[in-house]
Amino acid sequence: MDETIAEFIRRTILKIPMSEMMTVLEAWNFLSESQLQTLNLRQRKDSLAQSVVLLCEEKCASLSDAALLDIVCTQVHRHQKIWDVYQMSKGPGEDLDLFDIEQFKSSFKKILQRALRNVTVSFRDAEENAVWIRIAWGTQYTKPNQYKPTYVVYYSHTPYAFTSSSRLKSNIPLLGQALTVASKHHQIVKMDLRSRYLDSLKAIVFKQYNQNFEIHNPTAPLQERSVGLDINTDSRIIHENAVEKDKVQRITQETFGDYPQPRLEFAQYKFWKAAMLTTTPQTPTQSLQFHNRFLETKFKSDLNGGILADREEPLRCLIKFSSPHLLEALKSLAPAGIADAPLSPLLTCIPSRGMNYFKIRDK
Amino acid sequence: MSVLRPLDKLPGLNTATVLLVGADDALLQQLADSMLKTDCASELRVHLARSLPLPSNVNRPRVDLLVFVINLHSKYSLQSVEKSLHHVDASFFLGKACFLATGAGRENLCSVHRNTVVRLAHTYRSPVLFCDLEVEGSRAAMAQRLARMLQISAGHVPGVSAMSLLSLLRSSESPSLEDL
């Protein structure tokens, strides 16, 4: 077994937390049962990694086996990568061919290998007709860099593919081309949707988010589910605006629904405006932070004109909302009394339009 | 147009009613709970409202003290209070109204400056109180203070009236506030 492969396997093992070690190794399905039983999980991780490498040497692990281990690790820790979404489309009048997964795989690999002599491509099938592809990029003259691979998750019965954002941006067009041609599509377009949570991206893109999942309790009465505060039993406290509160709850429920929201961490809005922009920053609860760059607030015109008068170039402004769970935070804004209901459609359209990066031009 | 008036109803026997107005529901609820836990000789009643005007079809007791709660972390909260102020009769501001600003301690989350609230209170000639409603101790102390103010406004404390309390509170203001 090559030294580089041994080192690669060793470093991959070191990235796995001890609690998940056995799960990953079993899912990898390369080492035999008896070999796995010889591993002592109570030792330090570097000694464990060494033992695993020795076992792999016994079985003469190849690069593709090591790459498969890397895929399994990434599948378990998919939220450690940021995923972009690509949508492919067929040309007009093209038939829907029967999809042959093996043909797709060989075609995809061939295209990449023809373009760059040195590239490692590995596949792993997953549930729901998904195939995970790992690509380690090299060039005509250098060997593939196994430590900066790109992952693609392609759902074969849909035109959607999810790729992990990589720093090697020059390979993205080639990747897009390979995907399009191998899957017999005509065109590929990058969607303005990006997140760490692959399952949420899937839910948004396949429109599966508006279904109630198992965790939701359908038997609880509506009031208890929607009211965030505890129902106070003290009769000396009287809520005067109960009608308004109900209205806000109703509007929120109509906009966001009863179901748990898909998980996103960012929403970014780029504004280009010829005239002045007035925005009011707010800091709501649930750690929704409002970052603003180039923020211009109210501009009072004075006789001298000031710096911002008579601008010829359009004004640019970037507003980014970030939160551990953006959509749930937006949903709680109106009931918490931090914003008016209904919220701006720019915020509420995120799951339905499948975008969280917006470019808004003021014409 | 329903305007809130201080003396349009007869008082209840030994009852004092405070109306807390503010956009932040959770904070108002917590303050109300703290106020009811205080040891008070009068029977307290707390009404919570997100904004004024209040719905007119409800039979409610006379409001003895009006507290506007502004969360310094939220500009919306300030705007909501400013809008509500238009629906209050001027005679409330003779000692029966005050402003409560919460959240000044966490400077990085504040989007409303303290001085904005100070200026607002100064315009309405009413006292402004600062506290952190999210901290148990601060909230309990403020609740006790408000309960005492409520008793005075309701006339339950002999010898002290709402107007005299107002003038007592005002003398502690620094003279530079007059320049604001």
Side-chain angles (χ1 to χ4, degrees):
Chain A
M1 197 169 81
D2 206 334
E3 258 183 35
T4 50
I5 301 178
E7 180 61 16
F8 178 44
I9 295 180
R10 193 185 71 87
R11 286 212 218 168
T12 313
I13 297 286
L14 286 176
K15 282 195 284 189
I16 308 171
M18 276 310 232
S19 51
E20 290 161 15
M21 189 65 71
M22 260 316 168
T23 333
V24 172
L25 289 175
E26 278 163 17
W28 185 29
N29 208 15
F30 175 71
L31 298 173
S32 65
E33 270 294 326
S34 45
Q35 278 180 311
L36 287 177
Q37 274 165 10
T38 64
L39 288 174
N40 174 13
L41 286 175
R42 268 182 251 246
Q43 59 185 318
R44 280 178 44 198
K45 219 198 264 190
D46 25 359
S47 350
L48 179 67
Q50 282 298 101
S51 337
V52 173
V53 169
L54 287 170
L55 291 175
C56 292
E57 272 189 19
E58 279 172 36
K59 279 197 107 173
C60 302
S62 64
L63 182 59
S64 49
D65 297 313
L68 209 61
L69 176 63
D70 198 15
I71 296 183
V72 175
C73 287
T74 311
Q75 282 179 313
V76 171
H77 295 127
R78 52 187 76 177
H79 57 275
Q80 283 179 357
K81 305 226 174 285
I82 299 185
W83 300 91
D84 290 316
V85 188
Y86 287 85
Q87 184 176 17
M88 295 184 278
S89 50
K90 291 203 193 274
E94 274 182 31
D95 297 334
L96 284 153
D97 295 325
L98 284 171
F99 184 80
D100 183 354
I101 184 95
E102 296 307 317
Q103 197 215 2
F104 166 77
K105 289 181 190 172
S106 66
S107 175
F108 184 82
K109 199 165 181 171
K110 255 191 234 148
I111 295 170
L112 288 182
Q113 281 172 337
R114 241 183 273 150
L116 305 164
R117 221 157 23 119
N118 292 306
V119 64
T120 314
V121 182
S122 323
F123 301 96
R124 187 166 196 256
D125 292 335
E127 70 288 329
E128 288 179 35
N129 292 307
V131 54
W132 281 65
I133 312 170
R134 176 184 180 275
I135 305 127
W137 304 95
T139 66
Q140 302 283 6
Y141 312 105
T142 59
K143 285 179 72 178
N145 182 350
Q146 298 298 337
Y147 297 99
K148 288 206 176 119
T150 306
Y151 295 91
V152 178
V153 184
Y154 174 50
Y155 284 82
S156 52
H157 289 204
T158 74
Y160 294 102
F162 303 89
T163 62
S164 63
S165 301
S166 83
R167 264 173 266 165
L168 306 169
K169 298 235 188 286
S170 53
N171 294 311
I172 300 293
L174 176 60
L175 175 62
Q177 195 185 26
L179 260 176
T180 319
V181 174
S183 61
K184 302 218 184 84
H185 283 91
H186 196 67
Q187 212 186 40
I188 187 167
V189 150
K190 184 174 178 184
M191 291 176 70
D192 289 320
L193 186 59
R194 195 176 303 149
S195 171
R196 281 185 190 279
Y197 301 101
L198 189 58
D199 299 316
S200 294
L201 289 176
K202 243 179 62 188
I204 292 175
V205 149
F206 300 151
K207 306 263 181 248
Q208 289 168 342
Y209 57 90
N210 49 5
Q211 290 153 19
N212 288 325
F213 300 119
E214 325 81 60
I215 35 175
H216 190 65
N217 180 7
T219 57
L222 193 66
Q223 273 73 21
E224 279 178 33
R225 273 183 293 166
S226 49
V227 170
L229 306 166
D230 292 329
I231 304 163
N232 68 284
T233 48
D234 199 329
S235 59
R236 292 176 292 170
I237 301 180
I238 291 132
H239 294 263
E240 292 285 348
N241 297 115
V243 168
E244 271 174 39
K245 267 206 262 193
D246 284 339
K247 186 173 137 212
V248 165
Q249 287 289 356
R250 192 176 42 84
I251 293 178
T252 307
Q253 195 169 32
E254 275 167 13
T255 323
F256 289 94
D258 241 349
Y259 38 83
Q261 301 290 314
R263 194 168 176 185
L264 297 172
E265 327 82 70
F266 301 106
Q268 187 172 297
Y269 300 83
K270 262 197 200 153
F271 290 92
W272 276 269
K273 246 184 178 298
M276 294 307 298
L277 180 71
T278 64
T279 54
T280 50
Q282 304 215 350
T283 45
T285 54
Q286 273 206 324
S287 20
L288 179 70
Q289 306 234 294
F290 190 110
H291 300 278
N292 42 55
R293 291 157 63 181
F294 329 112
L295 181 74
E296 305 293 348
T297 49
K298 287 208 174 69
F299 173 60
K300 297 198 195 85
S301 66
D302 58 344
L303 295 168
N304 300 333
I307 313 162
L308 298 162
D310 301 325
R311 275 182 77 96
E312 267 147 29
E313 325 103 60
L315 192 73
R316 284 186 301 171
C317 175
L318 178 79
I319 301 174
K320 187 175 181 185
F321 290 87
S322 65
S323 165
H325 198 320
L326 183 77
L327 295 175
E328 284 293 338
L330 290 176
K331 185 175 175 180
S332 63
L333 283 182
I338 297 165
D340 257 329
L343 290 178
S344 155
L346 281 176
L347 292 170
T348 55
C349 72
I350 292 172
S352 55
R353 286 183 66 176
M355 296 170 76
N356 60 349
Y357 283 76
F358 296 83
K359 292 189 174 68
I360 299 151
R361 268 200 164 81
D362 183 46
K363 297 194 177 90
Chain B
M1 188 53 115
S2 52
V3 171
L4 202 61
R5 287 176 213 285
L7 297 169
D8 59 348
K9 294 197 179 121
L10 291 173
L13 191 62
N14 204 34
T15 319
T17 308
V18 59
L19 174 63
L20 303 177
V21 179
D24 213 323
D25 267 341
L27 292 181
L28 291 190
Q29 180 73 42
Q30 285 177 317
L31 180 60
D33 288 331
S34 297
M35 279 188 77
L36 290 172
K37 281 196 207 126
T38 61
D39 220 351
C40 192
S42 329
E43 230 183 78
L44 294 185
R45 274 207 153 39
V46 184
H47 285 236
L48 305 177
R50 229 184 204 189
S51 63
L52 299 173
L54 299 175
S56 50
N57 49 352
V58 178
N59 190 14
R60 68 175 67 81
R62 177 180 89 165
V63 175
D64 294 307
L65 181 67
L66 187 53
V67 182
F68 291 98
V69 180
I70 299 173
N71 187 352
L72 292 178
H73 300 176
S74 160
K75 254 203 174 153
Y76 178 73
S77 154
L78 177 68
Q79 287 167 354
S80 167
V81 162
E82 281 174 342
K83 272 187 255 173
S84 303
L85 281 167
H86 300 315
H87 300 279
V88 179
D89 185 57
S91 43
F92 253 112
F93 299 106
L94 295 171
K96 285 181 185 268
C98 76
F99 293 85
L100 177 61
T102 172
R106 278 187 280 177
E107 195 73 40
N108 58 328
L109 293 176
C110 286
S111 50
V112 177
H113 200 278
R114 291 176 83 244
N115 272 348
T116 316
V117 182
V118 170
R119 236 178 292 182
L120 181 66
H122 185 70
T123 316
Y124 284 91
R125 300 292 187 270
S126 294
V128 58
L129 307 168
F130 287 93
C131 81
D132 199 342
L133 286 178
E134 293 179 36
V135 175
E136 177 81 53
S138 177
R139 186 172 69 227
M142 182 52 64
Q144 269 193 313
R145 203 171 166 188
L146 285 176
R148 194 68 182 147
M149 283 176 68
L150 174 60
Q151 277 190 299
I152 295 171
S153 298
H156 295 184
V157 179
V160 188
S161 73
M163 281 276 273
S164 54
L165 178 65
L166 185 64
S167 50
L168 280 174
L169 287 175
R170 193 177 290 165
S171 63
S172 61
E173 279 173 59
S174 55
S176 60
L177 273 173
E178 304 300 308
D179 305 320
L180 280 176

